[in-house]
């Protein structure tokens, strides 16, 4: 039982390049999230999904796209990377307690992205 | 949307002392307030949580209190140990998403 797995763990990009971060969970959770963590800024929500085929914007969605084609996977894409997107990205998943109430978030180990 | 403020940003204590971290939230509809611990190089991990129908919850050396009227909640760690050193995040929300505070770096000196 791996929990939440993120790939890759490290990546260096040049400005303007594109890439995709993959998150996979094996807990059959309905909800999945992408957060970014920057020094002194805490965890800020980028995009999230409340079920397969659905996505929604979070607090800082600009410059990112997401897809949830399968329940267990949540992809975060950067179409044209910028230095401001240098950050540590965390994926999380949680179960649905009913009426869209979320339970505990289970986090992955993080993906460190540097954009030069 | 929800806004969560967390204080202090850093906290240094001696082993055996107590540590208190405080958070305030803005959205009265929020009903779930978890606390996460993040060790260096790892993802955050839940240590305790509280729902809005409960005022206090304890788990061994850790306790959380919630004051819905004042919209604030606090984490209390008693008899701190060096392994408690980490970054702690509070969060608020519960309806599909959680908003996190900016974190408190707790350093416990032997």
């Amino acid at each position: 039982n791996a929990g939440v797995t993120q790939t890759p763990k490290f990546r260096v990009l040049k400005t303007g390049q594109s890439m995709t971060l993959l998150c996979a969970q094996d807990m059959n959770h309905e909800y999945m999230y992408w957060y970014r963590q920057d020094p002194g800024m805490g965890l800020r929500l980028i995009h999230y999904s409340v079920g397969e085929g659905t996505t929604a914007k979070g607090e800082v969605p600009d410059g990112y796209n997401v897809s949830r084609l399968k329940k267990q996977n949540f992809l975060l894409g950067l179409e044209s990377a910028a230095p401001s997107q240098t950050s540590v990205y965390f994926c999380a998943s949680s179960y649905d307690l009913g009426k869209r109430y979320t339970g505990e978030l289970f986090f992955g180990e993080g993906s460190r992205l540097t954009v030069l | 949307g929800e806004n969560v403020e967390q204080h202090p940003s850093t906290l240094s204590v001696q082993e055996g002392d107590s540590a208190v971290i405080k958070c305030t939230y803005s959205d009265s509809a929020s009903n779930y307030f978890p606390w996460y611990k993040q060790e260096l190089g790892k993802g955050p991990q839940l240590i305790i949580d509280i729902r809005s129908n409960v005022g206090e919850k304890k788990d061994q050396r850790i306790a959380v209190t919630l004051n819905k009227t004042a919209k604030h909640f606090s984490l209390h760690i008693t008899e701190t140990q060096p392994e408690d050193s980490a970054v702690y995040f509070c969060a608020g929300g519960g309806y599909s998403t959680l908003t996190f505070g900016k974190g408190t770096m707790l350093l416990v000196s032997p």
Side-chain angles (χ1 to χ4, degrees):
Chain A
N1 190 344
V4 178
T5 303
Q6 295 181 226
T7 53
K9 289 183 169 45
F10 302 93
R11 183 75 187 270
V12 178
L13 288 178
K14 294 181 179 179
T15 298
Q17 287 185 320
S18 63
M19 76 157 296
T20 300
L21 296 175
L22 170 64
C23 177
Q25 53 96 3
D26 60 3
M27 296 172 283
N28 201 34
H29 284 166
E30 288 294 328
Y31 298 167
M32 295 188 76
Y33 310 86
W34 277 107
Y35 285 89
R36 62 177 288 175
Q37 184 175 27
D38 303 292
M41 298 298 292
L43 292 154
R44 292 182 293 170
L45 183 63
I46 304 171
H47 286 281
Y48 66 101
S49 168
V50 297
E52 182 179 320
T54 72
T55 62
K57 294 180 180 180
E59 180 186 354
V60 288
D62 294 343
Y64 305 95
N65 56 74
V66 288
S67 64
R68 184 118 181 252
L69 299 179
K70 294 182 178 181
K71 184 176 183 179
Q72 64 268 33
N73 295 337
F74 195 29
L75 279 63
L76 178 71
L78 286 73
E79 291 187 346
S80 179
S84 60
Q85 294 178 304
T86 293
S87 187
V88 180
Y89 292 86
F90 285 97
C91 177
S93 69
S94 71
Y95 44 88
D96 180 6
L97 295 179
K99 298 183 180 179
R100 293 282 180 93
Y101 289 126
T102 184
E104 173 187 355
L105 265 61
F106 292 82
F107 283 87
E109 294 282 284
S111 297
R112 182 176 293 276
L113 175 65
T114 301
V115 183
L116 303 176
Chain B
E2 176 65 278
N3 182 45
V4 176
E5 299 283 341
Q6 182 173 348
H7 299 280
S9 57
T10 59
L11 180 59
S12 294
V13 299
Q14 293 290 321
E15 182 177 0
D17 288 349
S18 294
V20 180
I21 303 171
K22 298 182 179 181
C23 290
T24 60
Y25 63 98
S26 61
D27 189 349
S28 57
S30 291
N31 61 5
Y32 179 55
F33 305 94
W35 287 87
Y36 285 80
K37 177 183 180 182
Q38 185 179 29
E39 296 177 340
L40 194 62
K42 297 197 171 185
Q45 193 163 17
L46 181 74
I47 55 171
I48 195 168
D49 57 10
I50 192 168
R51 297 220 174 247
S52 59
N53 57 344
V54 176
E56 183 176 3
K57 184 177 178 181
K58 288 184 179 180
D59 183 3
Q60 299 182 1
R61 297 186 297 108
I62 295 173
V64 57
T65 59
L66 171 65
N67 183 326
K68 279 202 69 181
T69 302
K71 293 182 186 172
H72 65 71
F73 56 110
S74 301
L75 177 71
H76 304 252
I77 305 175
T78 60
E79 300 173 20
T80 55
Q81 301 167 2
E83 51 265 37
D84 294 329
S85 295
V87 178
Y88 292 80
F89 292 98
C90 64
Y95 192 71
S96 299
T97 65
L98 288 175
T99 300
F100 285 80
K102 293 184 177 180
T104 296
M105 181 176 290
L106 174 64
L107 177 62
V108 181
S109 303

